[in-house]
Amino acid sequence: MHKDFLDIIDYTPEELQELIDLAVELKKEYQQGGNQPVLKGKVLAMIFQKPSLRTRVSFEVGMYHLGGNALYLSPNEIGLGQREAIADVARVLDGMVHGIMARVFDHEHLLELAHWTTIPVINGLSDYSHPCQALADILTIYEEFGQIKDINITYVGDGNNVAVSLMQIAAKLGANFTIANPVDYDMPAESIETIRPYAEASGSKLTFLRDPHEAVRHAKVIYTDTWTSMGQEEESAKREAVFPPYQINAQLVSEADPDAIVLHCLPAHRGQEITDEVADGPHSRLFPEAHNRLHAQKAVLYNLLGNK
Ligand code: CP
Ligand code: NVA
């Protein structure tokens, strides 16, 4: 039983599969008339140091679905680590709410929140990882193909927070993960080294390439994300000069498995990392994937905040 949901690497394959099964169950229950109020009386504080559509809406609506409430705390109100020390924010919230979801810049700040609280802390994206996204992504893949093991997932683009969590969940659950990214935009070496033993245990193959064409060959899932993540805005011109060969367009999709699906965590920068033709075309699962944020995170909330 975990206190927090901070990173995919902290969860065993069995625990991740349990979360996926619970998400499937909660999704079905919701679609058949509504969920049981298993979080009645529970309040989730949502701390945002960066903007959000999906994370904010899915956590807030998820809490409503399960009978609880959510509280949005903007950067202006909290000033995490600036207006007030993180340890103090943590200890105040600890006595007032039942869980914290935080979107931060520095991943260490999540660890600090978790350290100073007895209540669950959930990573709603940090500069290092985005585990809630990965859980929704793998749920989408599971629904599409009926399995996760041995599915070839290819990520094309920046070796960023979304790529790290996707690699971790693929490695834990036995899917193959390939990434093609430009020089200087590799995933953090530490993220690769720490996940390797889990990939070996599950039989997951990890492949690191530069050539997107080679990377998508035999891919069942093609994944991309923005070239410039939140907080890197001053680098966007430099990145826009490097990343165009990594665009997901109809040509690249035609080089993958004929049944391949295309995923993107969103927000998409249409015409940059993905074309309209692909984002709105037959291979795209962008919106079911976004909707699965709701179902995947309800499983996390039930698991951590529920009296199970
Ligand atoms: N994918 C995702 O986390 O979207 P938001 O930034 O809108 O929350
Ligand atoms: N890599 C992106 C993901 C947005 C959901 C970012 O961090 O901005």
Side-chain angles (χ1 to χ4, degrees), residues 48 51-56 103 124-125 130 133 230 265-267 293:
F48 281 94
S52 169
L53 171 66
R54 280 144 292 272
T55 304
R56 179 184 173 177
R103 167 166 286 193
L125 180 146
H130 197 0
Q133 182 67 52
M230 292 180 278
C265 61
L266 303 178
R293 293 290 303 278

Side-chain angles (χ1 to χ4, degrees), residues 17 19-21 23-24 27 132-148 151 153 166 169 173 220-223 259-266 283-297:
Q17 189 60 53
L19 283 174
I20 294 161
D21 293 344
V24 169
K27 182 172 179 175
C132 292
Q133 182 67 52
L135 201 59
D137 298 337
I138 214 75
L139 172 61
T140 311
I141 292 166
Y142 185 53
E143 288 178 331
E144 184 72 30
F145 299 111
Q147 68 180 79
I148 297 165
I151 296 288
I153 303 173
L166 187 65
I169 205 159
L173 295 175
K220 280 274 189 198
V221 179
I222 304 176
Y223 201 112
D259 298 331
I261 61 168
V262 173
L263 300 179
H264 186 314
C265 61
L266 303 178
H283 297 274
S284 170
R285 296 293 182 276
L286 266 51
F287 298 105
E289 176 191 11
H291 301 158
N292 274 339
R293 293 290 303 278
L294 176 61
H295 308 295
Q297 288 156 205

Side-chain angles (χ1 to χ4, degrees), residues 79-306:
L80 197 65
Q82 286 162 356
R83 178 174 185 264
E84 196 164 0
I86 294 172
D88 292 352
V89 171
R91 284 175 290 181
V92 170
L93 289 175
D94 202 46
M96 292 192 187
V97 299
H98 303 92
I100 298 172
M101 190 285 297
R103 167 166 286 193
V104 300
F105 289 94
D106 188 343
H107 190 78
E108 288 296 317
H109 292 173
L110 287 171
L111 304 182
E112 210 177 324
L113 280 172
H115 174 78
W116 288 101
T117 44
T118 60
I119 57 174
V121 176
I122 299 169
N123 178 357
L125 180 146
S126 71
D127 286 348
Y128 179 68
S129 62
H130 197 0
C132 292
Q133 182 67 52
L135 201 59
D137 298 337
I138 214 75
L139 172 61
T140 311
I141 292 166
Y142 185 53
E143 288 178 331
E144 184 72 30
F145 299 111
Q147 68 180 79
I148 297 165
K149 193 161 168 43
D150 299 328
I151 296 288
N152 294 330
I153 303 173
T154 292
Y155 180 102
V156 177
D158 186 20
N160 64 16
N161 45 9
V162 168
V164 165
S165 292
L166 187 65
M167 172 180 69
Q168 289 175 335
I169 205 159
K172 286 261 172 166
L173 295 175
N176 300 316
F177 177 84
T178 299
I179 181 169
N181 62 272
V183 175
D184 294 337
Y185 297 95
D186 292 341
M187 287 190 291
E190 177 266 338
S191 70
I192 298 170
E193 291 324 308
T194 52
I195 203 65
R196 275 195 199 283
Y198 298 103
E200 275 160 31
S202 74
S204 158
K205 241 179 85 192
L206 305 179
T207 310
F208 304 92
L209 300 173
R210 297 279 173 234
D211 180 5
H213 301 279
E214 188 184 347
V216 298
R217 217 175 293 146
H218 310 301
K220 280 274 189 198
V221 179
I222 304 176
Y223 201 112
T224 193
D225 183 18
T226 183
W227 296 337
T228 304
S229 286
M230 292 180 278
Q232 300 171 334
E233 289 77 8
E234 75 287 353
E235 293 179 21
S236 65
K238 188 174 127 204
R239 288 167 172 266
E240 279 166 32
V242 170
F243 277 95
Y246 293 83
Q247 182 187 65
I248 307 298
N249 51 37
Q251 173 59 41
L252 197 66
V253 174
S254 76
E255 296 168 25
D257 187 281
D259 298 331
I261 61 168
V262 173
L263 300 179
H264 186 314
C265 61
L266 303 178
H269 304 79
R270 288 163 174 263
Q272 292 195 359
E273 75 271 6
I274 193 165
T275 59
D276 283 333
E277 190 184 3
V278 171
D280 300 325
H283 297 274
S284 170
R285 296 293 182 276
L286 266 51
F287 298 105
E289 176 191 11
H291 301 158
N292 274 339
R293 293 290 303 278
L294 176 61
H295 308 295
Q297 288 156 205
K298 279 163 67 174
V300 173
L301 289 167
Y302 186 15
N303 191 256
L304 294 182
L305 272 68

